[in-house]
Amino acid sequence: MKISTVKQMRELDRSAVERFGIAEEILMENAGEAAYFAILSHIGVNRKKFLVICGAGNNGGDGFVVARKLLSSGGVVHIVLLGDPGRYLGAARVNLDIALALGIDTGPFDDLETFRGQLADSDVVVDAIFGTGLARTVEGTYRDVIDTVNASDKKVVSLDIPSGVSGDTGHVMGTAIKADYTITFGLPKIGNLFYPGCRLCGELFVTHISFPPGLYRHLETEVNVPPPLPPRDPSGHKTSFGQALFIAGASSYYGAPSFAAMSFLKSGGGYARLACPRSIIPPIATAGKEIVFVPQEETSSGAISAANKNSLISLSETMDIVVIGPGLSLEPETSCLTRELTAELKTPLLIDGDGLTAVSSNTSCVINRNNATVLTPHPGEMAKLTGLPVSSVLENPISIVRDVSKKLRSTIVLKGARSIIGYPDGSVFMNLTGNSGMGTAGSGDVLTGTVAAMYCLGLPFKDAVRKAVFIHGVAGDIAAGLKGEDGITAGDILECLPAAVKLDRESKEGDIERRYLGPRVI
């Protein structure tokens, strides 16, 4: 499913009107009708009392259509105008006039005490105050109204997006409606799917309001619903399911290399080799008996020495994919080795953790690679890669991922509550699996091995990255279902990888993918 920005949605609306002759009144009617059907299906209408709160723009116009539909099905409707009636234009004006002609009880907001009485006398609130066009902090009467609605125990239905949520970021602009249901129009907006906005939407629906698919097919951002895994070869052996080399670990960094290599095996990969300092092999081997170790010469601080370069390059030539970085340390000699290996390795390469810090100082080693490369930064590491503050990365992650993917000619996975996957061709995917419990040390190392496994199981590199992020999140959701989000560890996620892959393989006709598609289409 495609995702739009607010600006893109305005352009889609304009194109629908100008290219296809779909009148604005038809688009508004379709939006209101879909919202009405959602209310009818999930709440009911007959004899229920509805308080429809309408702002001065087209979102208010959508509210007038909903009010009319509710009235026609036996609902008792009262409209509160938060906007100046003289400011309604176009289709919104048309639908206000229809509501008035029908005799729907309609009046301006008087005062907070009167509004509380109207709210107390209603069963359901329809939020048609701002929509997605909000560009300022909510203040004054608007803040009072929203906070009063939130303090009530009424069911709330928001049109397009809960009022007060930014359509482009999901941020709360001072205060915002907490809805039970949200019906978004045309396509889901970024703010419908990013936190905290997505949580305020409640159950989310989308209606395409007559947009032909060709109108939005060109949009480059969409929900991550990856293709299925190829069937496993029933006669396969360990090398049939891929060989991955992990260049990872340093003195006192035992967990990261272990999680990375073991997650490859737990996700279905065949043969994991871990090149790590020889001194840390015994403690890692205790937990990871299935890993094949490649002992490395060490620096004085216990990191991988540059003396290993030629042997690592030679070994990599027999591998399907190489992962470099988990727990590697920031030892200058090892960082220099990382940059040299990045530039010279001919296999597909995943760079994570300390490897990202190493290449951040000179990204030419990434840009000039001639084989597939994926970087898996968290926001802090993305800030190092871009030279931007972390706040800028968090404010506009989709655009930044798209730009950096193109610039570095690499696939980027920006890890977070909504992990963002970007490709050099400009396409971007938002992943909806996973939960807050995955914000724990080592979770990213588990992702690295999962990416390597999905590629070795036969998916094209681009699809393998998307699949891995999806499966990694499903494993986290399974772990959270067993133990709760509080306190799950990377080890818990690791142990749930086989169940996540099994669930994905056994789902009929993409059931598991549909579960994470985001809004339901009505």
Side-chain angles (χ1 to χ4, degrees), residues 47-291:
R47 297 185 180 179
K48 283 189 167 59
K49 296 179 180 179
F50 295 87
L51 185 64
V52 184
I53 311 170
C54 296
N58 277 350
N59 198 239
D62 299 327
F64 300 142
V65 176
V66 173
R68 168 163 45 86
K69 300 283 185 180
L70 295 172
L71 178 72
S72 71
S73 289
V76 179
V77 184
H78 179 77
I79 297 173
V80 173
L81 300 176
L82 282 183
D84 178 358
R87 292 180 58 193
Y88 291 103
L89 302 172
R93 179 78 244 178
V94 169
N95 282 291
L96 172 57
D97 290 342
I98 293 172
L100 293 171
L102 288 171
I104 296 177
D105 186 11
T106 303
F109 174 85
D110 290 322
D111 54 64
L112 205 54
E113 184 175 351
T114 301
F115 179 74
R116 287 196 182 101
Q118 294 166 333
L119 188 59
D121 192 41
S122 66
D123 300 310
V124 181
V125 176
V126 177
D127 159 35
I129 302 172
F130 291 131
T132 58
L134 182 67
R136 65 185 186 281
T137 301
V138 178
E139 298 176 336
T141 298
Y142 294 101
R143 172 182 279 275
D144 292 340
V145 167
I146 289 174
D147 290 345
T148 301
V149 170
N150 286 342
S152 73
D153 59 353
K154 308 300 180 182
K155 288 285 185 185
V156 179
V157 178
S158 286
L159 306 185
D160 219 3
I161 200 166
S163 290
V165 173
S166 166
D168 278 337
T169 66
H171 295 168
V172 173
M173 309 290 281
T175 190
I177 287 285
K178 186 179 187 303
D180 296 284
Y181 304 94
T182 298
I183 302 88
T184 194
F185 307 135
L187 292 172
K189 321 311 180 290
I190 293 169
N192 291 126
L193 300 176
F194 266 162
Y195 290 100
C198 67
R199 185 151 288 179
L200 296 175
C201 286
E203 192 167 353
L204 181 61
F205 303 90
V206 63
T207 175
H208 296 307
I209 61 172
S210 297
F211 285 173
L215 191 64
Y216 51 81
R217 195 168 284 137
H218 68 284
L219 296 182
E220 295 178 311
T221 306
E222 60 186 286
V223 175
N224 180 33
V225 183
L229 283 166
R232 283 182 74 89
D233 180 358
S235 63
H237 47 82
K238 59 189 176 186
T239 57
S240 302
F241 304 116
Q243 300 189 72
L245 172 64
F246 296 84
I247 304 172
S251 176
S252 300
Y253 289 97
Y254 306 156
S258 177
F259 286 139
M262 285 302 299
S263 62
F264 173 76
L265 299 173
K266 290 283 189 177
S267 300
Y271 207 132
R273 285 180 169 85
L274 175 55
C276 63
R278 63 175 65 252
S279 64
I280 70 171
I281 290 176
I284 296 177
T286 301
K289 297 179 176 63
E290 301 87 350
I291 300 169

Side-chain angles (χ1 to χ4, degrees), residues 415-479:
K415 297 176 289 194
R418 290 287 191 242
S419 291
I420 306 298
I421 309 149
Y423 296 94
D425 64 4
S427 59
V428 174
F429 296 84
M430 182 189 297
N431 191 67
L432 301 186
T433 62
N435 60 81
S436 66
M438 299 179 73
T440 184
S443 178
D445 303 310
V446 175
L447 175 62
T448 64
T450 309
V451 172
M454 295 302 106
Y455 176 65
C456 287
L457 287 176
L459 285 173
F461 194 80
K462 181 174 182 178
D463 293 338
V465 176
R466 289 174 55 201
K467 192 70 168 184
V469 176
F470 184 90
I471 289 289
H472 180 249
V474 172
D477 288 340
I478 293 172

Side-chain angles (χ1 to χ4, degrees), residues 306-371:
N308 302 289
K309 176 182 171 181
N310 290 337
S311 62
L312 286 171
I313 291 175
S314 178
L315 179 58
S316 74
E317 292 172 355
T318 66
M319 297 291 104
D320 295 297
I321 188 170
V322 174
V323 174
I324 188 167
L328 203 58
S329 88
L330 300 180
E331 164 74 39
E333 180 179 334
T334 309
S335 293
C336 181
L337 172 64
T338 298
R339 289 188 291 273
E340 291 178 1
L341 290 173
T342 297
E344 296 180 38
L345 292 178
K346 306 302 182 185
T347 55
L349 177 66
L350 187 154
I351 307 174
D352 184 53
D354 294 332
L356 292 169
T357 300
V359 301
S360 294
S361 65
N362 185 357
T363 56
S364 62
C365 61
V366 175
I367 295 170
N368 294 326
R369 278 180 48 80
N370 291 320
N371 212 318

